Amino acid sequence: MASSHFVLLAILSSALLVVHSPAGTLAQTPAAPAPSPPGPLNFTGILAKAGQYTTFIHLLTVETQVAKQIDNQLNTSTEGLTVFAPTDNAFNNLKAGTLNSLSTEKQVQLLLFHVLPKYYSLQSLVTVSNPVRTQANYGLNFTGLANTNQVNVSTGLVETLVNNALYQQSPLAVYQVDKVLLPPELFEAPAPAGSPPPTSTASSGGSNSTTTAKSPTSSQNTDSGANGLKFWYGSVVGGVAICMGMLIS
C-alpha cells in the first residue's frame, strides 16, 4: 500500500515538472506572423476581375503598350494615378470604324486621355480646378455636388457620369465610365484646307456694272465712225458739185 502511494506521488511530481518546465512554455500557441508587405499593383488584373472591360484591356495590352506604362508609373510615382475605364458597351456604342480609323499613335493618345497623373477620390474630383490635365496632355472637366459621389466628366464632345469605383485606394483609383472619352483634338473635324473663299455679291455686281458700262462706249465708238464717214462723203459730193457749177458758168 505504501509503495502505491509512492508511485502516485512520483507521477504527480513529474506532471508538475512538465507543466512548469521551459518545454511546457514552448508548447503554447505561437503568435500570428506579421503581414507581408503588399505586392505591386496589377492594373489590368483589377479590370479583368471586375469584368466587362475586354475591349479596354485589349487596347491596353495588345494594340498598345499603355498597360505597361501605367504599371511602371504606379510603382514609381509618388502622386499615383486615376483611370477612367470605359465598359465594353461604351466601345460598342462608338460609330463603326472609329477605332480602326486611328493610327497606333492616336490609339495611345486616346487611352492616355483616360488617365490622370494623380490619385483623385470621387469627392476630390468635385472640387478640382478645371480643366484637369490628362496623360495625353488634353484636358478634362469635372462637375458635381459637394459631399456626394455624383461626378460628371466632360471632354467637350462627350459627357458622362463617373458612377462606379472599381478600385479606390492610393496610389490608384479606377472608375467606370459608360462612354468612351473622345478628345476634340483627335475627333473634331478640322476645317477643309485650301478651299476658295466664297464670291461676294458686291464683287459680282461690280463685274456686271463694268460690262454694262463698256457696252454703251462700244456703241458710241461705232456711231462716231459712221457719222464721220457720212460727213466725209457729204464733203466730197459737195466739192464735186461746186466744181461742176464753176465749169458750166
Side-chain angles (χ1 to χ4, degrees):
M1 188 73 177
S3 61
S4 298
H5 289 165
F6 178 78
V7 172
L8 181 60
L9 288 174
I11 292 173
L12 291 175
S13 299
S14 298
L16 290 173
L17 286 173
V18 170
V19 171
H20 293 285
S21 67
T25 304
L26 293 175
Q28 295 178 357
T29 304
S36 58
L41 285 169
N42 184 352
F43 167 62
T44 54
I46 293 171
L47 294 175
K49 184 178 180 180
Q52 67 177 343
Y53 298 97
T54 304
T55 304
F56 193 41
I57 294 173
H58 179 79
L59 288 170
L60 289 166
T61 58
V62 178
E63 299 296 332
T64 70
Q65 299 298 313
V66 172
K68 290 183 178 180
Q69 179 179 338
I70 290 176
D71 285 336
N72 289 337
Q73 286 186 262
L74 281 175
N75 295 295
T76 57
S77 171
T78 57
E79 294 291 326
L81 292 175
T82 300
V83 181
F84 301 97
T87 61
D88 289 334
N89 284 336
F91 283 102
N92 292 336
N93 289 332
L94 287 175
K95 184 179 178 181
T98 298
L99 293 179
N100 292 334
S101 66
L102 297 177
S103 64
T104 301
E105 180 182 356
K106 288 186 176 181
Q107 285 185 357
V108 169
Q109 291 296 302
L110 175 63
L111 294 174
L112 292 179
F113 187 59
H114 290 73
V115 183
L116 305 181
K118 185 178 178 181
Y119 170 82
Y120 289 96
S121 66
L122 279 175
Q123 290 186 359
S124 63
L125 286 174
V126 176
T127 58
V128 77
S129 178
N130 289 315
V132 180
R133 183 178 65 87
T134 66
Q135 290 285 69
N137 287 325
Y138 308 142
L140 288 172
N141 292 290
F142 297 91
T143 56
L145 298 176
N147 301 321
T148 70
N149 289 333
Q150 298 295 313
V151 182
N152 288 318
V153 55
S154 173
T155 73
L157 292 178
V158 174
E159 182 173 350
T160 189
L161 183 68
V162 182
N163 57 6
N164 186 22
L166 305 179
Y167 189 91
Q168 192 176 196
Q169 183 176 345
S170 183
L172 176 65
V174 184
Y175 301 116
Q176 173 183 318
V177 287
D178 294 330
K179 292 182 181 180
V180 180
L181 305 180
L182 304 178
E185 290 83 356
L186 294 182
F187 292 94
E188 195 168 49
S195 56
T199 304
S200 65
T201 305
S203 175
S204 300
S207 176
N208 291 338
S209 300
T210 304
T211 303
T212 306
K214 286 181 179 180
S215 297
T217 304
S218 176
S219 176
Q220 288 173 5
N221 291 339
T222 304
D223 292 341
S224 297
N227 290 336
L229 181 60
K230 288 178 182 179
F231 178 78
W232 176 83
Y233 181 79
S235 299
V236 171
V237 173
V240 172
I242 291 172
C243 291
M244 291 297 291
M246 290 176 64
L247 289 173
I248 295 173
S249 61

